[in-house]
């Protein structure tokens, strides 16, 4: 297409997240792909906007320059003005002078030329200059008017009016208003190019990456945290007027030198030739290194051919980037490596709003990442291939554990999600929470931790309840670590959340059963129903039984087994609810367990997010530890069946022991009967456990050793504590708990603290 001397490049309008993108293919265009730096480019864009309406302008070369909605709107105003002038033709003679009086053809033609220059020509590629020309002509004409003859004055009035009309129209445009403010501040007229650079600063990203990063300049942002993930800086800001924090990520691939972009996009092209097919996609995680090696040699070749000097390290970095955007998960991969995130959400329609995340320290945050429909489709293809499951209108839910990423992704599509696919990623913690870590974050206090540990060691049946995300599963993970290592543990889950591989690594004897996910509607899945899995688990012999989440028919089977003592020695599970009573109600009324069977539960631990003084920040807290007593018939709350042992006080932000209730406990009585321990001894034991956990937290703080609270060390410390207690029992027939603690602390200092401080010095040195 050729007009006015400029050939207008190819463009298309593409819809993305309900926004129309005017997309220019600038490869091979002789002009620079930048509105600010090349007038021809401005001309092309204005011309195209005249033909096709759009919300955003994208100039695509090796980089993509993206002009956002506000910038595009400024351009559209200019386009409308061009259209208006072309209809009104302010350059026609009757707008230049009173033609009845004025017969000077020369003057008329000069004026005609000026107005055409302003309102038809300049405006189409340099609107600011058009406006400035209008201003300067206006002031010149005013001078001529002042010194002109009466006849000249009469003819000039019309011309002045036209100039003023143009000026007024220009000044209604945002772009011109901005320019005026700028010029007033500078007190001089800069080159219009400089002005365009200020107003049309584009977001730039490599063309081979779909996702856009938005770096809004905003005032009053407060930096809350900053750290690096996979060479990318993460910054978290508090916004002055929004309740959600902002999560900004800046991966290196968004700010590379033009040469490196060139190499990357070439490498990507070459690599596209041997992108793995369906079969090999499923082994992507394992073959990742293999691909990176291929990419390294490709990049080396391209660099050599094009005389680009790259160091070994740079080649490696670039190959990682290509791998990330070809066989990997793209920018998502960086977010998935930030294990401080617990969830990542991509809502439909994709591209309309940025992804958001849930951060373990800063709760829900909006990110600066805008994903694209194209990337979402690629992700769906990848998930389909890797899971080997269908995902289409008949199967609109795909639920899948991403291999080697300890992450579960739930994907929904039409017709269930009418606006298109959406994704939710749940990032599991790689190491389990420990009771000491929970003390450290004030989820519970040492006494509660000691009590829970004591109950587990004495084979109580325990349910952990709470609202969504209150930390039930995490607490259960921590409880598993309190089970003596010589006990066999069976964990049954529909979502693989408990870090079983890690627990195995540190010496637990643990077997995992995976059951069918209740939210999956796929009909082809070969997964086992929870109820069936539980029956199998019960046949596997005497073990501790851990049920990830009790939510359906399996509850009946579980309680039946517990009631007749067939469920093994320790039973634990999480269940949705917000108090011991709610758990009873759920188990009996929703899950059909006979009310008296509920007595097989010994303890219910309730967790809840607390908002102190109505603050927006929620803090997770264990709020109740309740014993289920056995002498009631129909309804435990009315008949004194629910006995709170500990209760949370918001005023003190701590769980308080209800000593009066303790006297009425049947559970302690039962444990006493079985173990032969007196009440006094049981309390000494609980306090010993509490103190040991508190001590680890104290040492962690004193020497800044967060690792000390990781399961690897806390379970070692726990084992030692139990061994020392056992030894006293053997030697003296009874336990001096104070003495045990003393010896244990010495051991902790010598064996754990010293070792960790040494390795700490080594890594820092
Ligand atoms: N005390 C805590 N302090 C801070 N973060 C926590 C705490 N407990 C749990 N978390 C984090 O909160 C997230 C949700 O925890 P978890 O999955 O244990 O909750 P849940 O109650 O089992 O949720 P759901 O209802 O979805 O099953 C996890 O990422 C976990 O690491
Ligand atoms: Mg859970």
């Amino acid at each position: 297409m050729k007009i006015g001397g400029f050939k207008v490049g190819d463009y298309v309008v593409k819809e993305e997240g309900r926004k129309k993108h005017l997309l220019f293919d600038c490869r091979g265009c002789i002009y620079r792909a930048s509105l600010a730096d090349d007038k021809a480019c401005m001309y092309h864009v204005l011309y195209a906007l005249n033909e096709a309406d759009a919300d955003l302008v994208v100039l695509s070369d090796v980089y993509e320059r993206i002009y956002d909605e506000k910038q595009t709107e400024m351009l559209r105003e200019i386009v409308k003005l061009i259209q208006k002038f072309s209809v009104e033709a302010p350059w026609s003679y009757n707008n230049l002078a009173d033609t009845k009086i004025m017969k000077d053809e020369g003057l008329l033609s000069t004026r005609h030329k000026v107005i055409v220059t302003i309102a038809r020509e300049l405006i189409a590629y340099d609107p600011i200059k058009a406006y400035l020309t209008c201003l300067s002509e206006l002031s010149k004409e005013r001078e001529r008017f002042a010194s002109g003859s009466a006849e000249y004055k009469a003819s000039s009035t019309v011309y002045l009016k036209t100039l003023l009309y143009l000026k007024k129209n220009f000044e209604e445009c945002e772009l011109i208003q901005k320019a005026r403010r700028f010029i007033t501040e500078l007190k001089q007229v800069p080159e219009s190019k400089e002005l365009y650079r200020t107003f049309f600063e584009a977001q730039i990203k490599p063309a081979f990456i779909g996702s856009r990063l938005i770096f809004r300049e905003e005032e009053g942002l407060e930096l809350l945290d900053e750290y690096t993930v996979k060479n990318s800086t993460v910054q978290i800001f508090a916004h002055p007027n929004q309740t959600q924090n902002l999560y900004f990520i800046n991966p290196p691939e968004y700010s590379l030198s033009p040469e490196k972009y060139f190499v990357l996009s070439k490498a990507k092209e070459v690599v596209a030739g041997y992108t793995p097919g369906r079969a090999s996609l499923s082994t992507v995680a394992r073959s990742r290194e293999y691909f990176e090696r291929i990419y390294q040699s490709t990049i080396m070749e391209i660099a050599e051919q094009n005389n680009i000097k790259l160091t070994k390290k740079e080649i490696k970095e670039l190959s990682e980037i290509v791998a990330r955007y070809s066989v990997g998960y793209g920018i998502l991969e960086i977010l998935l490596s930030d294990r401080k995130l617990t969830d990542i959400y991509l809502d439909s329609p994709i591209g309309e709003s940025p992804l958001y995340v849930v951060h373990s320290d800063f709760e829900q945050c909006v990110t600066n990442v805008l994903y694209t429909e194209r990337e979402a489709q690629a992700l769906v293809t990848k998930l389909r291939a890797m899971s080997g499951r269908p995902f289409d209108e008949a199967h609109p839910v795909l639920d899948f554990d991403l291999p080697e990423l300890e992450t579960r992704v739930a994907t929904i599509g039409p017709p269930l999600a009418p606006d298109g696919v959406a994704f939710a990623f749940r990032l599991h913690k790689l190491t389990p929470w420990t009771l000491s870590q929970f003390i450290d974050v004030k989820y519970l206090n040492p006494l509660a931790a000691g009590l829970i540990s004591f109950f587990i060691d004495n084979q109580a049946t325990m349910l952990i309840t709470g609202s969504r995300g209150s930390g039930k599963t995490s607490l259960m993970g921590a409880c598993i670590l309190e089970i003596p290592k010589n006990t066999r543990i069976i964990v049954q889950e529909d979502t693989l959340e408990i870090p079983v591989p890690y627990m195995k690594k540190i010496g637990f004897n643990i077997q995992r059963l995976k059951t069918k996910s209740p939210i999956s509607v796929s009909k082809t899945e070969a997964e086992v129903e929870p109820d069936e899995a539980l029956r199998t688990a019960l046949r596997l012999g005497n073990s501790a039984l851990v049920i990830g989440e009790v939510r359906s028919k399996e509850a009946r089977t579980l309680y039946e087994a517990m009631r007749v003592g067939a469920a093994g020695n320790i039973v634990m599970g999480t269940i949705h609810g917000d108090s011991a009573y709610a758990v009873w109600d759920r188990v009996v009324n929703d899950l059909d367990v006979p009310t008296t069977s509920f007595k097989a539960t010994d303890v219910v631990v309730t967790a809840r997010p607390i908002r102190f003084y109505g603050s927006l920040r929620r803090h997770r807290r264990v709020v109740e530890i309740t014993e289920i007593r056995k002498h009631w018939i129909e309804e435990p709350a009315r008949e004194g069946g629910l006995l709170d042992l500990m209760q949370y006080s918001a005023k003190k932000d701590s769980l308080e022991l209800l000593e009066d209730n303790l006297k009425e406990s049947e559970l302690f009585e039962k444990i006493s009967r079985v173990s032969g321990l007196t009440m006094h001894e049981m309390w000494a034991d609980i306090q010993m456990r509490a103190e040991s956990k508190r001590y680890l937290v104290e040492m962690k703080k004193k020497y800044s050793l967060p690792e000390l609270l990781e399961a690897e060390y806390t379970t070692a410390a726990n084992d030692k504590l139990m061994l020392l207690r056992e030894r006293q029992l053997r030697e003296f027939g009874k336990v001096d708990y104070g003495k045990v603690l003393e010896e244990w602390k010495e051991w902790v200092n010598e064996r754990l603290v010293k070792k960790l401080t040494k390795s700490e010095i080594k890594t820092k040195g």
Side-chain angles (χ1 to χ4, degrees):
M1 198 181 318
K2 201 166 164 148
I3 18 134
F6 296 124
K7 183 181 169 292
V8 173
D10 285 334
Y11 66 85
V12 285
V13 178
K14 239 182 47 176
E15 211 168 299
E16 184 82 62
R18 296 200 179 144
K19 300 263 152 53
K20 278 183 262 159
H21 291 211
L22 184 67
L23 192 71
F24 276 87
D25 182 359
C26 304
R27 286 170 304 176
C29 176
I30 55 165
Y31 304 107
R32 295 188 57 187
S34 159
L35 280 181
D37 295 308
D38 202 315
K39 294 197 170 83
C41 182
M42 173 70 89
Y43 180 84
H44 291 180
V45 171
L46 290 176
Y47 182 87
L49 279 173
N50 186 22
E51 288 188 335
D53 201 23
D55 303 304
L56 273 95
V57 175
V58 181
L59 306 179
S60 170
D61 199 339
V62 221
Y63 304 90
E64 265 178 16
R65 274 199 164 73
I66 300 144
Y67 298 95
D68 67 16
E69 286 162 282
K70 277 196 188 140
Q71 292 168 326
T72 307
E73 184 51 35
M74 287 200 292
L75 298 173
R76 286 166 62 181
E77 276 182 354
I78 299 295
V79 168
K80 278 189 201 131
L81 195 57
I82 297 175
Q83 290 166 344
K84 183 173 177 193
F85 288 158
S86 94
V87 173
E88 295 174 352
W91 44 78
S92 63
Y93 275 24
N94 56 346
N95 291 321
L96 303 177
D98 184 345
T99 41
K100 276 186 234 118
I101 315 168
M102 180 73 194
K103 299 288 181 212
D104 183 345
E105 265 298 324
L107 187 67
L108 277 175
S109 132
T110 312
R111 285 181 182 171
H112 176 78
K113 221 182 247 158
V114 173
I115 301 293
V116 166
T117 307
I118 296 171
R120 197 164 75 188
E121 287 169 2
L122 266 181
I123 190 177
Y125 58 88
D126 188 349
I128 295 178
K129 191 159 175 206
Y131 169 69
L132 293 175
T133 311
C134 176
L135 290 190
S136 105
E137 176 68 7
L138 190 61
S139 84
K140 279 189 218 148
E141 187 58 30
R142 278 182 176 141
E143 275 168 29
R144 287 192 288 261
F145 178 89
S147 58
S149 63
E151 190 197 2
Y152 186 87
K153 278 187 175 136
S155 90
S156 178
T157 319
V158 176
Y159 185 49
L160 276 173
K161 226 169 114 189
T162 302
L163 284 169
L164 279 169
Y165 176 74
L166 296 187
K167 174 174 178 281
K168 176 176 147 279
N169 274 285
F170 272 113
E171 286 174 358
E172 277 166 12
C173 297
E174 168 92 25
L175 174 65
I176 302 302
Q177 286 165 16
K178 278 193 162 186
R180 284 183 62 194
R181 278 197 294 274
F182 213 81
I183 293 167
T184 328
E185 267 168 36
L186 278 181
K187 298 202 176 66
Q188 59 168 346
V189 183
E191 275 261 354
S192 54
K193 199 177 212 168
E194 259 175 65
L195 292 173
Y196 292 120
R197 282 206 185 126
T198 320
F199 308 144
F200 291 103
E201 195 187 354
Q203 299 164 15
I204 298 185
K205 71 171 186 63
F208 68 87
I209 302 178
S211 295
R212 257 200 298 149
L213 297 185
I214 340 162
F215 288 100
R216 288 172 292 177
E217 267 187 41
E218 286 192 60
E219 281 183 15
L221 292 186
E222 181 200 346
L223 184 66
L224 299 177
D225 198 2
E226 186 171 332
Y227 52 90
T228 358
V229 199
K230 285 215 169 177
N231 296 332
S232 312
T233 322
V234 171
Q235 289 177 310
I236 296 169
F237 295 100
H239 192 283
N241 320 316
Q242 286 172 12
T243 53
Q244 291 187 67
N245 292 323
L246 308 176
Y247 178 102
F248 277 15
I249 190 158
N250 196 2
E253 55 265 36
Y254 281 79
S255 44
L256 294 172
S257 68
E259 280 181 339
K260 286 187 182 170
Y261 276 139
F262 172 78
V263 173
L264 274 187
S265 39
K266 274 274 175 265
K268 181 103 194 301
E269 269 173 46
V270 176
V271 158
Y274 42 75
T275 294
R278 195 184 157 93
S280 43
L281 257 178
S282 56
T283 54
V284 160
R286 258 156 284 149
S287 55
R288 181 69 176 258
E289 259 173 52
Y290 163 77
F291 282 110
E292 273 178 29
R293 261 192 326 245
I294 297 188
Y295 299 162
Q296 276 186 28
S297 55
T298 316
I299 286 171
M300 221 140 57
E301 243 168 67
I302 294 170
E304 243 166 58
Q305 282 164 5
N306 294 280
N307 264 334
I308 297 170
K309 291 221 161 31
L310 294 175
T311 64
K312 268 214 166 102
K313 192 167 156 249
E314 287 172 317
I315 291 176
K316 186 158 186 305
E317 278 167 8
L318 293 180
S319 72
E320 276 165 20
I321 294 174
V322 182
R324 190 179 299 156
Y325 292 91
S326 49
V327 289
Y329 296 96
I331 194 165
L332 263 178
E333 202 168 291
I334 300 171
L335 294 175
L336 289 170
S337 329
D338 182 355
R339 298 315 285 201
K340 285 192 175 174
L341 298 182
T342 61
D343 300 88
I344 302 171
Y345 294 103
L346 263 160
D347 284 344
S348 56
I350 302 270
E352 189 167 274
S353 45
L355 334 177
Y356 64 97
V357 294
V358 180
H359 195 283
S360 53
D361 298 337
F362 301 102
E363 313 208 340
Q364 189 166 308
C365 306
V366 184
T367 70
N368 61 330
V369 181
L370 261 186
Y371 214 58
T372 60
E373 193 63 48
R374 187 165 49 116
E375 288 171 300
Q377 285 312 328
L379 184 58
V380 164
T381 310
K382 191 166 278 174
L383 294 177
R384 234 191 243 136
M386 288 197 298
S387 67
R389 297 186 202 155
F391 180 71
D392 47 39
E393 298 248 322
H395 308 88
V397 177
L398 179 61
D399 213 13
F400 178 59
D401 286 297
L402 297 179
E404 314 204 355
L405 285 173
E406 295 295 324
T407 298
R408 181 157 191 92
V409 55
T411 314
I412 53 170
L416 188 59
D419 292 327
V421 283
F423 307 84
F425 296 84
R426 168 62 78 87
L427 286 69
H428 310 316
K429 209 163 162 282
L430 302 181
T431 57
W433 278 92
T434 64
L435 288 180
S436 295
Q437 280 173 337
F438 279 144
I439 294 172
D440 195 27
V441 298
K442 297 173 103 181
Y443 189 45
L444 39 64
N445 57 17
L447 186 61
L451 190 64
I452 289 174
S453 167
F454 173 81
F455 284 149
I456 293 169
D457 201 11
N458 285 284
Q459 314 198 338
T461 299
M462 197 162 75
L463 286 181
I464 298 167
T465 190
S467 51
R468 218 190 117 60
S470 55
K472 303 180 286 293
T473 306
S474 309
L475 179 56
M476 195 166 62
C479 289
I480 294 175
L481 301 173
E482 299 297 314
I483 299 176
K485 280 188 179 148
N486 58 10
T487 309
R488 177 143 169 272
I489 306 168
I490 293 178
V491 173
Q492 171 172 336
E493 293 181 285
D494 52 43
T495 308
L496 303 181
E497 283 184 286
I498 294 175
V500 169
Y502 179 86
M503 291 175 171
K504 270 197 172 141
K505 215 177 75 191
I506 59 171
F508 282 89
N509 177 357
I510 187 164
Q511 172 64 48
R512 166 184 260 174
L513 301 180
K514 169 146 183 10
T515 59
K516 188 170 178 148
S517 161
I519 54 168
S520 176
V521 293
S522 162
K523 294 171 188 68
T524 57
E525 281 183 44
E527 291 177 323
V528 177
E529 294 285 346
D531 188 41
E532 208 180 312
L534 182 60
R535 288 177 196 282
T536 313
L538 291 172
R539 278 199 298 272
L540 287 177
N542 204 14
S543 329
L545 185 59
V546 177
I547 309 286
E549 189 168 340
V550 180
R551 51 173 136 209
S552 56
K553 275 199 306 202
E554 78 279 9
R556 254 188 100 100
T557 316
L558 178 68
Y559 272 95
E560 234 172 73
M562 290 201 292
R563 206 169 50 86
V564 300
N569 32 30
I570 304 170
V571 179
M572 273 190 250
T574 75
I575 184 162
H576 213 83
D578 75 347
S579 65
Y581 179 79
V583 172
W584 169 81
D585 186 37
R586 176 103 204 277
V587 167
V588 173
N589 293 326
D590 296 347
L591 304 178
D592 263 357
V593 171
T595 181
T596 52
S597 296
F598 183 67
K599 290 181 196 164
T601 321
D602 294 319
V603 179
V604 174
V605 178
T606 309
R608 195 177 295 155
I610 303 279
R611 289 168 55 176
F612 293 108
Y613 312 108
S615 145
L616 285 169
R617 262 211 81 173
R618 294 171 315 142
H619 300 261
R620 296 184 184 83
R621 293 289 184 263
V622 169
V623 293
E624 260 163 22
I625 300 181
T626 310
E627 174 186 332
I628 310 298
R629 304 206 307 168
K630 315 299 177 197
H631 298 287
W632 51 274
I633 298 160
E634 265 173 31
E635 212 262 28
R638 252 186 283 133
E639 300 169 49
L642 306 177
L643 184 73
D644 287 338
L645 302 177
M646 291 190 89
Q647 205 169 43
Y648 179 76
S649 145
K651 222 184 208 160
K652 298 186 181 153
D653 187 19
S654 187
L655 267 170
E656 311 229 299
L657 186 68
L658 302 173
E659 287 188 47
D660 289 342
N661 283 4
L662 229 47
K663 294 184 199 109
E664 296 173 28
S665 162
E666 293 169 5
L667 183 57
F668 279 102
E669 223 180 277
K670 182 178 135 197
I671 295 175
S672 168
R673 237 182 300 123
V674 178
S675 65
L677 293 170
T678 64
M679 189 67 188
H680 184 76
E681 286 167 326
M682 286 190 284
W683 268 106
D685 193 278
I686 290 168
Q687 264 152 351
M688 175 188 74
R689 288 166 194 267
E691 172 58 17
S692 73
K693 296 187 193 313
R694 190 206 61 78
Y695 185 72
L696 290 179
V697 178
E698 184 189 319
M699 291 300 109
K700 173 248 170 185
K701 285 186 183 148
K702 187 166 168 191
Y703 297 105
S704 314
L705 296 174
E707 304 95 313
L708 187 60
L709 305 188
E710 290 286 351
E712 183 181 350
Y713 296 97
T714 60
T715 56
N718 229 3
D719 290 349
K720 188 68 195 176
L721 188 69
M722 294 302 122
L723 280 174
L724 290 174
R725 188 187 64 168
E726 199 60 32
R727 206 173 69 193
Q728 286 221 358
L729 205 60
R730 250 199 339 261
E731 283 179 15
F732 311 110
K734 66 178 177 45
V735 185
D736 178 342
Y737 290 95
K739 192 98 190 18
V740 171
L741 264 176
E742 209 175 288
E743 285 176 51
W744 176 81
K745 284 184 184 172
E746 217 167 280
W747 180 87
V748 168
N749 293 341
E750 279 302 312
R751 288 305 188 76
L752 302 186
V753 176
K754 263 198 190 144
K755 182 178 151 201
L756 279 172
T757 35
K758 262 193 212 137
S759 67
E760 181 85 338
I761 292 166
K762 232 187 272 161
T763 49
K764 281 203 178 128

